[in-house]
């Protein structure tokens, strides 16, 4: 159930409706829109009796939500959600967000070399895993807290916003202290206790699509985070399992317009995990921007042959430069922009 407030409803009227919803034993989620506020109701097991709410001052109407998800649905918020990360970095809205960096943080030298390169090419967000969910327990598992400290040092040195994965509640506690965006990986997309914990964090969450998740399952996973009160969720398409074996996964670009129709949340495309092949990252990045993605997540490594994870899909800094150049051109065609990072001297001043 959604309570749509009138355009001129006052803050006090909105608060009174929220109070009433809580009195009825539910949770109220006021979501301001361009012209009016919608209040989502969660926590109900059956239908909510609308009459008690419709009678309150400032209420325009109560509408039943037709989809299983409520807070992620366009019905509650017509405008696209823009996740503000500070210093003019945003995900969603007219500007494209490009997150670039290695699969895993391997050392301070490695992280700094790649951060300098991706920043010079125009990225404003840096990625790198400190906790790596690996298929084999014998593969490199990440530097854990030391990796997070390196990421914090990257932010201080380069003014890049940091995106890094949490794999469980313990790592999330640490990740939220170091990161600007908490990544929840494909393998954890339906780790509901982790999603709930991320929903209680004050940091935005980047939620990757599960290995074989349908669109509804993907949106329901995001709903878990919003239902706990964290509305800053960024979706990420990273390919799904199919019979195709010419790529690691099958990048489902058709999900972008499908998500845009159903949800107000921003969605990025990760062509690195989506294809698993270095030479396919550039063409699929072009396509992702053309199809309407809000940005890209790209694995970049200066020495991919020596990378401790995902080297074969990591592109070189020079290839990333070309990617940024082409993305800028395609962005213009679809009326999007790509901002440039401020001069490094500026970063030092705001630190
Ligand atoms: C990653 O981003 O490095 C990663 C492990 O991605 P995914 O969860 O999509 O496999
Ligand atoms: Mn990876």
């Amino acid at each position: 159930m959604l309570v749509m407030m009138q355009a001129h409803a006052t803050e006090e009227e909105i608060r009174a409706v929220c109070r009433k919803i809580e009195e009825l034993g539910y949770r109220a989620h006021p979501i301001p829109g361009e012209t009016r506020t919608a209040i989502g109701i969660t926590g109900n097991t059956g239908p909510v009796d609308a009459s008690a709410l419709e009678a309150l001052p400032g209420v325009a109407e109560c509408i039943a939500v037709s989809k299983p998800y409520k807070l992620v649905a366009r019905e509650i918020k017509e405008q696209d959600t823009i996740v503000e990360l500070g210093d003019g970095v945003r995900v969603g809205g007219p500007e494209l967000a490009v997150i670039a960096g290695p699969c895993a943080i391997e050392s301070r030298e490695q992280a700094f070399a790649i951060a300098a390169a991706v920043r010079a090419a125009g990225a404003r967000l840096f990625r790198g895993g400190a906790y790596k969910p690996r298929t084999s327990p014998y593969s490199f598992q990440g530097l854990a807290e030391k990796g997070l400290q390196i990421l914090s040092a990257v932010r201080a040195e380069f003014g890049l916003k940091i995106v890094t994965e949490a794999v469980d509640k313990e790592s999330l506690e640490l990740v939220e202290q170091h990161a600007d965006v908490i990544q929840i990986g494909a393998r954890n997309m339906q780790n509901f206790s982790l999603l709930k914990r991320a929903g209680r964090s004050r940091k935005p969450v980047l939620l990757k699509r599960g290995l074989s998740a349908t669109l509804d399952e993907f949106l329901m996973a995001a709903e878990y985070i919003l239902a706990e009160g964290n509305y800053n969720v960024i979706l990420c398409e990273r390919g799904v399992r199919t019979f195709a074996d010419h790529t690691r996964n099958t990048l489902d670009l058709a999900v972008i317009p499908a998500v845009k129709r159903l949800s107000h949340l921003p969605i990025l495309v990760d062509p690195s995990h989506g294809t698993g092949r270095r030479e396919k990252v550039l063409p699929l990045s072009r396509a992702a921007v053309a199809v309407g993605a809000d940005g890209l997540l790209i694995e970049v490594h200066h020495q991919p042959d020596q990378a401790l994870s995902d080297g074969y899909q990591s592109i070189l800094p020079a290839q990333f430069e070309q990617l940024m150049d082409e993305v800028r051109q395609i962005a213009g065609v679809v009326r999007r922009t790509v901002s440039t990072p401020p001069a490094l001297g500026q970063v030092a001043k705001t630190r």
Side-chain angles (χ1 to χ4, degrees):
M1 168 89 68
L2 269 184
V3 182
M4 300 306 299
M5 299 301 291
Q6 290 163 354
H8 59 262
T10 64
E11 287 297 316
E12 185 39 44
E13 286 169 342
I14 295 168
R15 273 198 298 274
V17 174
C18 291
R19 269 200 305 274
K20 183 72 195 171
I21 292 168
E22 311 273 338
E23 267 169 42
L24 293 169
Y26 312 130
R27 184 159 179 182
H29 301 265
I31 312 240
E34 218 154 70
T35 53
R36 56 189 192 161
T37 293
I39 306 171
I41 301 175
T42 60
N44 54 305
T45 42
V48 176
D49 176 15
S51 56
L53 298 166
E54 265 168 352
L56 294 175
V59 173
E61 57 177 336
C62 290
I63 48 177
V65 182
S66 56
K67 301 284 186 310
Y69 35 85
K70 309 175 184 188
L71 303 174
V72 307
R74 275 252 184 240
E75 282 165 289
I76 198 167
K77 187 165 172 270
E78 214 182 313
Q79 301 81 28
D80 292 337
T81 285
I82 300 178
V83 177
E84 295 276 352
L85 298 174
D87 302 319
V89 182
R90 295 180 189 88
V91 184
E95 217 167 87
L96 295 179
V98 182
I99 307 172
C103 180
I105 299 301
E106 299 165 8
S107 68
R108 187 181 164 98
E109 293 65 39
Q110 173 247 20
F112 273 49
I114 300 168
V118 299
R119 188 186 200 284
R124 302 198 66 186
L125 297 106
F126 184 72
R127 62 147 290 143
Y131 299 90
K132 294 305 305 174
R134 303 303 299 276
T135 302
S136 163
Y138 309 118
S139 300
F140 177 59
Q141 303 285 310
L143 296 181
E145 199 170 355
K146 183 163 177 267
L148 296 178
Q149 284 158 1
I150 294 171
L151 285 165
S152 276
V154 166
R155 181 199 297 102
E157 184 72 21
F158 299 98
L160 293 162
K161 300 293 171 193
I162 303 298
V163 182
T164 193
E165 180 166 355
V167 291
D168 50 28
K169 287 188 192 172
E170 292 71 38
S171 55
L172 199 145
E173 306 274 330
L174 291 167
V175 163
E176 66 185 349
Q177 291 169 36
H178 291 272
D180 297 290
V181 178
I182 303 164
Q183 178 173 320
I184 304 281
R187 288 154 195 81
N188 272 317
M189 191 206 80
Q190 285 190 318
N191 181 339
F192 300 119
S193 60
L194 186 61
L195 296 175
K196 285 184 189 172
R197 174 61 186 82
R200 292 192 292 272
S201 176
R202 287 168 179 272
K203 293 285 170 76
V205 177
L206 175 86
L207 178 67
K208 300 191 85 176
R209 183 177 179 183
L211 305 180
S212 57
T214 63
L215 173 53
D216 269 11
E217 288 164 345
F218 192 16
L219 292 176
M220 289 303 275
E223 183 81 17
Y224 264 89
I225 303 171
L226 274 79
E228 293 294 325
N230 188 347
Y231 306 119
N232 287 315
V233 173
I234 304 158
L235 303 171
C236 182
E237 160 61 29
R238 47 78 73 207
V240 287
R241 280 273 165 93
T242 67
F243 54 82
D245 58 4
H246 59 286
T247 49
R248 179 179 179 184
N249 293 296
T250 297
L251 192 64
D252 177 16
L253 290 181
V255 86
I256 306 299
V259 163
K260 292 277 165 204
R261 204 166 77 87
L262 295 174
S263 176
H264 53 86
L265 295 176
I267 178 158
L268 308 180
V269 168
D270 167 1
S272 304
H273 295 87
T275 66
R277 304 273 192 280
R278 186 175 308 142
E279 78 284 357
K280 294 187 174 64
V281 172
L282 175 63
L284 271 301
S285 297
R286 295 187 200 115
V289 174
V291 86
D294 294 300
L296 299 166
L297 184 150
I298 309 286
E299 286 189 341
V300 180
H301 203 293
H302 64 318
Q303 294 167 327
D305 298 340
Q306 284 152 51
L308 297 180
S309 70
D310 285 352
Y312 38 85
Q313 67 191 33
S314 300
I315 61 172
L316 288 153
Q319 295 172 312
F320 182 66
E321 222 179 292
Q322 183 189 349
L323 183 150
M324 288 301 286
D325 178 46
E326 296 191 14
V327 158
R328 272 198 193 89
Q329 296 183 52
I330 295 168
V333 178
V334 290
R335 296 189 181 77
R336 308 294 288 260
T337 54
V338 181
S339 73
T340 19
L344 263 178
Q346 303 284 106
V347 174
K349 261 185 263 156
T350 58
R351 225 187 289 160

